[in-house]
Every structure is written in structure tokens, then in C-alpha cells.
Amino acid sequence: MHTDTERCVRAVRSKDARFDGWFFTAVRTTGIYCRPSCPAVPPKVANMTFLPSAAACQQAGYRACKRCRPDTSPGSPEWNARADAVARAMRLIQDGVVDREGVPGLAARLGYSTRQVERQLNAELGAGPLALARAQRAQTARLLVETSELPMGDVAFAAGFSSIRTFNDTVREVFALAPGELRQKARADHRGAAEPRVPGSLSLRLPFRAPLTPDNLFGHLVATAVPGVEEWRDGAFRRTLRLPHGTGVVALSPRPDHIACQLSLTDLRDLTIAISRCRWMLDLDADPEAVDEQLRQDPLLAPLVDKAPGRRVPRTVDAAEFAVRAVLGQQVSTAAARTHAARLVTAYGEPVTDPDPAGGLTHLFPSPEALAALDPETLALPRSRRTTLTTLVGALADGSLPLGLGSDWEAARAQLGALPGFGPWTTEVIAMRALGDPDAFLPSDLGVRRAAQGLGLPSTPAALTARAAGWRPWRAYAVQYLWATDDHPINHLPG
């Protein structure tokens, strides 16, 4: 979008928050960059230039605006709506792959050479993978400086910097303030007091593009919650997290203009990754205006969209975990699927090292490596389902089936479809909720067919798929609107 100057100018002049994260406005005369909704008086058009990422702005020598804080805007929805190499690279960078494995590790996951990855990212984003990862480290550092009382040395290493000097220099360059000045300013503005603090945790605000209807988003996560791993307590969805350097517990609560996030981590180096995975699970970088505008074109869907706009696709923090749970949920009720998953957690899950004083979270969901040792005869499942589960777990454990943020959606579909017991429903629900394909579709799903019939849409899978061609590329969101017509617990925010 940043190449469409006229459209960008209109967004800046109208201070349209819908475009925050789509592009950034760099002002030549002041040397700062802003989000489109910046409350300051818009500069002259001749002094504006538009860039696609905060990293590109920083690489060009611009500093972040102190009023609109562009580094805290929602991420670009492009990276979650596309399946090309650049979008996959951005999802992996947000998940901390460059910090953990370097640019060669990123390139290996994508199946390209390092040079190809750098060339593609520079061409589209104006910055290479190192600059993009640096911008993310700067944002994490600011979060820790402003929302915690950690010593600056701990902040530097938790944010991923290799030295305190690099941390200090980067913060000064990007925000035009020293780390200590950032903390003093945050205290003076009382920014950290918006949400109640929990001892030993970090209190954060996760932004999103309005509108957002939380009912089905949180309702689905809670209705399918696995005991010991996930729960709804005190108005928050809580779950355990397996992270590269340790474990964590997160509590997420819907608010009118943000998601309140309480994070407790055993290793603060996992902060950036934990935030990224929570945003992914709640689909917070979606562009609801674009989705709803497309779906409203169908006169039978339009009333559903108008009734509760801004529905999101509930995703997962771990693609492998969700794939296992999808198999457990084949042709059984939600309650039965939870029971099967809870048995696996009790037998093979990893107990959390620190007790959960705020609730009942006791385990991490079993890893594929742990499940690879299970005895199929102990599973209370039909024999064919046991074969499906053990084959899936084996492929996940040995790496022959890579599922994650960097997956090629169509390649993953082909691999899943080749496994025994994997039909279109299982493959598509994994594509939708684990891989994040916004166009995944479930025409054979009972709830979808029932809703379609009630609305006067075709109810047979073939006819419904043909009708849904007009909903592309947002068919996964259409599924959320169709599911919402039922009185199932997945559609209701718990009391």
C-alpha cells in the first residue's frame, strides 16, 4: 500500500487508525516516522514519504514519533493473509527465528538461499532480515523498559541484544531517548497502570484494528480448552506456553480497545516470541474492514456481518499441538475431544516447573517427541483413529511434516492429505487454525452445513464451495460467521 501515495495521504489526513501497521509516514523535515492515525497536525505532502515497515524507517535514519508511538501499532495484515516467501519470512521473524538461528536459519526454513531471502525482503520492505529483527528487538526493549522494573542490563539481554552498549545505542537511535528517560517518561504518563499488576508477571496491552467481536474468538478457545493446559478464570483465557528458552503462562482478557495480557515467563528472552504467538492465536493483526466488506457482498451473509462485525479466526500457539487435537476431535463432540486430550496431557504432558498460584494450569501440552513414545493400545479410540494419530505424531517428531508459521500452506495440505485418516475436514481445520490460511474452508462441517441451510445457502459441500467462491480470500472468516448462527458454547464469551 505504501506505493499508493494518494491513498496514504488520505489516510494520514483523516487520521484513519484502520491503516496503522499497513504503512508508516516518514517526515523529511523532522526526521521522525509516525503511524497514519498520529494526532499531530499532518505535515505538508511534499515532506512526507511512505515506507512499508518500521525497520525501513529506522534504516533510513528516522526516529519513532513520541506521540503516536508507531512501534506499538498492530502488525501488517499482509503477512497473515499471504503464503509467499516474504510473508512466511515475516511470520518467522516475528516468532524470533532470526534471533535464535540467524539469517541462514531463516533461509533454511524457507527453502531459499540467504541471498535470495535478503533480496526479496529488501525489495518489498526496504529492509533485510537483520534490520527487521533489530526493529522488533527495539520494540521489545521499549515494552520492558516501560512496563517492568527490571534493571536495564536484564532488559537488554531479554530483548535479544548482544550487549548493553548495543541496546543503549539502538534505543537512543530509534526513540531519541535513553532507556532511563523512556522509563521516567512512562512513569510520568502512568502508562503502566492501566491494567492491574500481578507479582512476577508483565502487564501488556495488545492492540488490534477495530472492530473486534470477542464472543466466538474467546468462546471457541474456552469451549475447547484442555484441562491443565488451558482455562477461563476471572474474565481471562489462560494457558501454558512452551517457548524456546523456557515456559510461560499467559492470561488474555478482552477490552474495548485492546487485549489485556499478563505474561509470566521463566526466561524473559521469550517475551517477543510469547507476544507474537498470543497475537497470532487471537488473530489480532487481521484487517476486519477488508474482510467484512468482502463478505457483505453476499446478501445472505451481510446480516450476520452487520450483527457482529469484526469476527476473528481463533488460532493456536503451537501448530503441532493443534494438529494432534484436530485428530482427537474427528467425528466426536467437543467434550469428548477435550477428554481425549486431557488424558494425553496427564500421561505425557510436561508438568510446569512453577506452580500456578492464580489457577489450575499444571502441564504443557505433550510435544510430538513425547507422544511418539505412546502405546496406541492405551488410547480409548477406534483402531483407525489410533493409526491416524500415531502416524501424525511420528511425522511431526521426525521433522518430515513441518507445521508452523513458515509453512507453505499448499505443500502442508498435500502432506497432511497423504496421511491415513486425513480427509478434507481435518486438513482444512489445521490449515485454518494452525497454519493461518484465511481462505481455508470447511464445506463438509456439520455446523457450517446446518447454518448454510438455515440461511438459504446451498448445504451440500460441492454447491456451497461453488457459492463460497465469492467470499475468497476470506472463507475462513465466513466460517466463523456461519458457526455463530448456532447456540453452541464456542460462540459465547464465558460469564
Side-chain angles (χ1 to χ4, degrees):
M1 179 178 173
H2 71 286
T3 57
D4 189 341
T5 301
E6 184 178 346
R7 190 181 180 195
C8 290
V9 168
R10 287 200 305 269
V12 171
R13 285 178 170 170
S14 63
K15 304 185 187 300
D16 195 334
R18 294 177 300 171
F19 294 99
D20 288 353
W22 275 101
F23 69 91
F24 296 86
T25 307
V27 185
R28 298 186 184 95
T29 51
T30 61
I32 65 171
Y33 71 94
C34 304
R35 61 169 78 194
S37 64
C38 182
V41 177
K44 295 179 179 178
V45 175
N47 295 329
M48 288 190 251
T49 185
F50 303 107
L51 296 169
S53 66
C57 295
Q58 294 167 20
Q59 194 155 282
Y62 292 95
R63 303 183 309 276
C65 173
K66 296 176 184 176
R67 290 190 66 182
C68 71
R69 296 160 56 91
D71 54 303
T72 62
S73 61
S76 172
E78 276 194 279
W79 315 132
N80 291 347
R82 289 166 40 182
D84 56 83
V86 171
R88 291 163 56 206
M90 284 301 296
R91 293 197 288 270
L92 288 169
I93 291 171
Q94 290 166 355
D95 198 51
V97 167
V98 170
D99 290 333
R100 299 193 303 274
E101 303 173 20
V103 180
L106 173 67
R109 286 177 178 246
L110 295 171
Y112 289 90
S113 69
T114 300
R115 184 176 180 181
Q116 286 174 307
V117 171
E118 290 178 338
R119 184 174 64 248
Q120 290 184 60
L121 289 173
N122 273 296
E124 185 160 345
L125 293 166
L130 290 176
L132 291 162
R134 176 180 180 267
Q136 184 162 277
R137 284 195 295 273
Q139 181 180 350
T140 302
R142 182 173 194 160
L143 267 176
L144 287 170
V145 167
E146 294 183 339
T147 63
S148 77
E149 298 300 324
L150 290 173
M152 292 302 176
D154 292 346
V155 170
F157 293 112
F161 289 95
S162 58
S163 70
I164 297 176
R165 179 176 180 178
T166 304
F167 159 70
N168 288 328
D169 291 346
T170 299
V171 170
R172 287 195 186 95
E173 179 183 339
V174 173
F175 304 115
L177 290 171
E181 294 172 317
L182 269 181
R183 180 164 283 176
Q184 290 174 359
K185 189 174 187 301
R187 287 171 176 166
D189 293 343
H190 303 289
R191 284 196 176 114
E195 299 292 340
R197 297 293 185 92
V198 174
S201 72
L202 294 169
S203 301
L204 312 172
R205 295 161 61 100
L206 305 184
F208 56 77
R209 292 177 185 82
L212 182 145
T213 295
D215 302 16
N216 75 300
L217 178 60
F218 284 87
H220 206 128
L221 294 172
V222 174
T224 59
V226 179
V229 175
E230 301 165 310
E231 68 175 5
W232 178 263
R233 186 180 294 267
D234 299 329
F237 173 70
R238 306 177 71 247
R239 72 155 291 153
T240 57
L241 303 171
R242 174 180 282 105
L243 299 163
H245 300 103
T247 63
V249 170
V250 65
L252 299 161
S253 308
R255 300 285 187 265
D257 61 349
H258 68 279
I259 300 296
C261 174
Q262 294 275 357
L263 268 171
S264 300
L265 303 173
T266 59
D267 192 319
L268 281 173
R269 289 177 296 173
D270 288 323
L271 176 63
T272 301
I273 300 158
I275 293 172
S276 174
R277 292 184 183 178
C278 290
R279 293 190 62 81
W280 173 261
M281 178 174 63
L282 300 182
D283 196 14
L284 297 186
D285 290 328
D287 182 1
E289 294 282 349
V291 173
D292 291 350
E293 180 182 1
Q294 179 72 19
L295 298 183
R296 281 192 182 99
Q297 301 304 309
D298 190 314
L300 296 181
L301 276 186
L304 300 181
V305 177
D306 293 336
K307 181 180 178 181
R311 292 195 183 274
R312 301 303 207 269
V313 177
R315 297 194 187 132
T316 179
V317 294
D318 187 318
E321 172 190 317
F322 184 82
V324 170
R325 292 171 62 173
V327 170
L328 296 177
Q330 288 178 336
Q331 300 177 343
V332 298
S333 67
T334 300
R338 293 181 67 212
T339 299
H340 291 315
R343 288 171 180 162
L344 287 185
V345 167
T346 301
Y348 300 98
E350 179 184 336
V352 293
T353 52
D354 297 324
D356 176 28
L361 303 182
T362 59
H363 288 76
L364 299 172
F365 195 85
S367 66
E369 292 75 18
L371 290 175
L374 66 81
D375 179 1
E377 296 302 319
T378 64
L379 300 174
L381 298 171
R383 186 167 299 277
S384 61
R385 192 84 44 79
R386 296 179 201 171
T387 301
T388 300
L389 182 62
T390 54
T391 305
L392 169 67
V393 166
L396 292 170
D398 66 19
S400 60
L401 176 61
L403 296 180
L405 298 175
S407 295
D408 180 300
W409 295 336
E410 294 310 315
R413 275 184 172 92
Q415 286 185 278
L416 289 168
L419 298 177
F422 269 76
W425 183 89
T426 310
T427 299
E428 286 299 304
V429 79
I430 291 172
M432 177 191 295
R433 297 194 55 201
L435 305 183
D437 184 351
D439 202 38
F441 193 48
L442 306 172
S444 63
D445 180 83
L446 180 60
V448 170
R449 295 176 63 187
R450 185 183 298 147
Q453 187 173 19
L455 292 171
L457 291 163
S459 58
T460 62
L464 185 57
T465 299
R467 174 64 177 259
W471 307 342
R472 306 191 76 166
W474 309 117
R475 293 184 300 177
Y477 293 88
V479 169
Q480 308 310 311
Y481 283 106
L482 291 172
W483 274 341
T485 62
D486 197 359
D487 195 33
H488 194 281
I490 65 169
N491 296 315
H492 303 288
L493 193 67

